[in-house]
Amino acid sequence: MQRLWFRGTLFAFIALAGAGVFAACGGGGGGGSSSAPGQILPAASPTPCPSGYVGNPPGCTQEASLPGQFYPQPSPSATALPALLGYGGTIIIPAAQQATQVFMVLSSTVPTPTPAIPALGSIAHRSLLRHPLDSSSVTALIYITLSVTSGQVVFTQSSGLDSGFPGFTFTLPSGAGNGPFYLAWFENGTTWTTIAGPVSPSGGSVTLQPVFPSLVITPTTAVYLCLYTGGVVPSVAPSGSASPLPTSTTSPSAGPTSSSAASASPTSSPVSTNSPTTPPTTSPTTSPSSSPTLAPTSSPTATASPTAFPSSSPSPTPMPSSTAAVASFAMGTWPSGAWGTPISSSLVNGFEGLNSSGTAISGSETFSHAVTVSSNNSAVTLCLLSDCTPASSVTITSNSQAAVLAMSYNGNAITSATITASATGATSNSVTFTPASAAIVYTGNLNGSGNPEIDLYAPLGGGTGSTGTFTATQAGYSNITYTGGSACSTFATIAQSGSTFTVTAIASPVAGTCTITLDGFNGSTQNVIITYTSFGPIIER
């Protein structure tokens, strides 16, 4: 009987539960949508963060910028970087053989192409720059991806830039620190390599210009870079030419998840992932080798990886940047202009500081004395594209900055402007900017010879023929005046309002002719004939 009671109770429970579910589904006419007592409804799916963000709402954090783009040109140029988390700035673009559109993305995490690339952690040193890296203090700030979807772009060295590799001026958020800052490049798809720096920030920004003769971007070879802070290592690391998947098992006691490298030979190039001098990695199962290109489960190699460091005791003292004395200047090629046509931040090609031998100073060297480039005319201003606030003068401390010198012109009518470069201990040099002039433009009645002429034939108040108007303009100049009006006083008066001139017959005009002269900028003139006849205009047939 107890067993039958249990079955009956179970059946009643199921029946009641079924009724509750039926009611909850709207089976009744007036029950609405309320659930039955005890019923558990599924929780609503949370709204995901939008594309380019990580986390869960409302705590979404932007991970990548919106893509920026530019078309390389036959001569060097510059354009704004996309913004991300307070970072932004300018990319300095070398000349390119083909103007295929290049896309730019800034990201706070390592880009994820296929095959995957490692996070910044181990960086090989390029002897060309003489600035090795202390991997133990690397802090990756922003990753930059440059890519194309079709064709290819071949950046090349030109007279406007002493490098065929893009440079960058980064604006920094307050949390970026005081540096020094470096630029790393994921070179040849094998290893991160330091290619510019160390550079300290100035005015909330930092300029990093690698010096290489060329760079190629194709749909399968995007360029990955990273802005980071760090120090130095005791010696130069090998060049990046090792296989990405080493298979040697020379050191059997060091497996992928080893927590110690005590059994490794003291002369072995790879070091344990727990060594204080080993760069941080993104995977807890990374091989003991410090190479960023090792697969997560691969065995360590007995040969030196591209980014392995030969010693576990880094030097605490950074290598100083080299300096060079400026003896003279190559002024290069400056933009041309014309009255009335403004120029906005146009790059100056080939401006350089020269040493005592007349050779251009390397872009990686700092001038021993700052260079001042100034304009003597307020219509012409200067700036560096890395931080372009037009001013009458700019200060340049290296040829990397000289490569982004730009000029602006407001279009005003001027005879010329002199731009001078000077520095302590250097021979000054200058160039003259002379915009093309423009004539006064008359708009109004012309006589049979095609010359400006206003003909009056009715006295004041006589309607048609008692007044005549014309306009006079000059590109870049708005202060045109006139002379000679007194010669017309026996039959007309002349009134000027801006560029409009109105000639009006007087009450009792006397037939006659006079000529007024319009005076423009720098002695430019235009004559206008004014006549009064009592019989009206003559129509020749």
Side-chain angles (χ1 to χ4, degrees):
M1 293 299 294
Q2 184 177 5
R3 185 174 182 180
L4 291 175
W5 176 85
F6 175 77
R7 288 181 176 177
T9 302
L10 179 61
F11 174 80
F13 174 78
I14 293 174
L16 289 172
V21 171
F22 179 79
C25 293
S33 59
S34 61
S35 61
Q39 182 182 0
I40 299 176
L41 297 176
S45 299
T47 302
C49 290
S51 177
Y53 288 74
V54 294
N56 296 307
C60 297
T61 301
Q62 190 174 9
E63 184 178 37
S65 69
L66 295 174
Q69 57 273 327
F70 63 87
Y71 282 93
Q73 302 298 318
S75 59
S77 57
T79 192
L81 288 168
L84 176 68
L85 304 178
Y87 291 90
T90 303
I91 178 172
I92 304 159
I93 308 165
Q97 296 178 4
Q98 183 174 340
T100 297
Q101 189 176 34
V102 178
F103 296 91
M104 308 175 289
V105 174
L106 268 60
S107 58
S108 58
T109 57
V110 64
T112 55
T114 302
I117 64 175
L120 183 73
S122 297
I123 301 183
H125 163 65
R126 290 197 70 91
S127 59
L128 174 66
L129 298 174
R130 306 183 186 279
H131 298 308
L133 166 75
D134 177 8
S135 62
S136 65
S137 60
V138 170
T139 300
L141 301 175
I142 287 292
Y143 291 91
I144 308 99
T145 301
L146 304 179
S147 62
V148 297
T149 56
S150 62
Q152 69 174 8
V153 169
V154 181
F155 293 118
T156 55
Q157 188 173 354
S158 67
S159 60
L161 286 175
D162 57 2
S163 177
F165 200 103
F168 300 87
T169 293
F170 295 98
T171 54
L172 305 172
S174 58
N178 297 320
F181 294 90
Y182 299 79
L183 186 68
W185 169 36
F186 192 62
E187 184 180 11
N188 299 324
T190 59
T191 183
W192 285 104
T193 303
T194 303
I195 57 174
V199 175
S200 297
S202 175
S205 65
V206 60
T207 297
L208 293 155
Q209 175 63 68
V211 182
F212 295 102
S214 64
L215 177 69
V216 179
I217 307 178
T218 72
T220 58
T221 57
V223 172
Y224 304 101
L225 303 114
C226 183
L227 173 68
Y228 75 95
T229 58
V232 298
V233 290
S235 61
V236 177
S239 62
S241 59
S243 168
L245 296 173
T247 57
S248 171
T249 56
T250 302
S251 178
S253 62
T257 57
S258 173
S259 61
S260 172
S263 62
S265 170
T267 59
S268 175
S269 177
V271 294
S272 168
T273 55
N274 290 334
S275 170
T277 61
T278 302
T281 60
T282 57
S283 172
T285 59
T286 302
S287 168
S289 169
S290 61
S291 169
T293 57
L294 296 182
T297 58
S298 63
S299 300
T301 176
T303 59
S305 71
T307 56
F309 304 127
S311 169
S312 61
S313 301
S315 168
T317 305
M319 293 180 64
S321 299
S322 59
T323 60
V326 180
S328 60
F329 303 93
M331 297 304 290
T333 303
W334 291 71
S336 59
W339 294 357
T341 304
I343 298 172
S344 178
S345 303
S346 181
L347 191 70
V348 177
N349 290 319
F351 176 79
E352 295 176 316
L354 309 178
N355 59 25
S356 58
S357 300
T359 303
I361 295 171
S362 169
S364 62
E365 294 182 291
T366 301
F367 296 157
S368 56
H369 293 95
V371 170
T372 299
V373 184
S374 58
S375 166
N376 70 345
N377 193 305
S378 60
V380 175
T381 54
L382 307 167
C383 74
L384 302 182
L385 289 179
S386 54
D387 183 17
C388 195
T389 302
S392 60
S393 66
V394 295
T395 300
I396 295 175
T397 58
S398 70
N399 268 349
S400 293
Q401 288 188 327
V404 293
L405 175 63
M407 187 198 84
S408 296
Y409 165 54
N410 64 11
N412 286 354
I414 61 173
T415 54
S416 64
T418 300
I419 298 104
T420 303
S422 61
T424 301
T427 301
S428 299
N429 199 356
S430 62
V431 66
T432 301
F433 171 75
T434 305
S437 61
I440 296 174
V441 177
Y442 167 90
T443 304
N445 185 66
L446 301 175
N447 61 21
S449 301
N451 296 318
E453 183 173 307
I454 300 297
D455 297 310
L456 305 176
Y457 52 88
L460 178 66
T464 302
S466 64
T467 62
T469 62
F470 66 89
T471 61
T473 57
Q474 187 174 28
Y477 190 68
S478 58
N479 297 320
I480 294 176
T481 58
Y482 73 94
T483 57
S486 59
C488 308
S489 60
T490 59
F491 60 86
T493 60
I494 303 169
Q496 178 183 359
S497 176
S499 61
T500 300
F501 296 78
T502 302
V503 182
T504 305
I506 62 176
S508 300
V510 177
T513 299
C514 67
T515 299
I516 65 172
T517 300
L518 304 175
D519 299 305
F521 182 78
N522 198 33
S524 55
T525 61
Q526 173 64 60
N527 291 335
V528 179
I529 300 171
I530 300 175
T531 70
Y532 179 82
T533 56
S534 58
F535 46 79
I538 298 175
I539 301 176
E540 298 180 355
R541 295 182 181 276

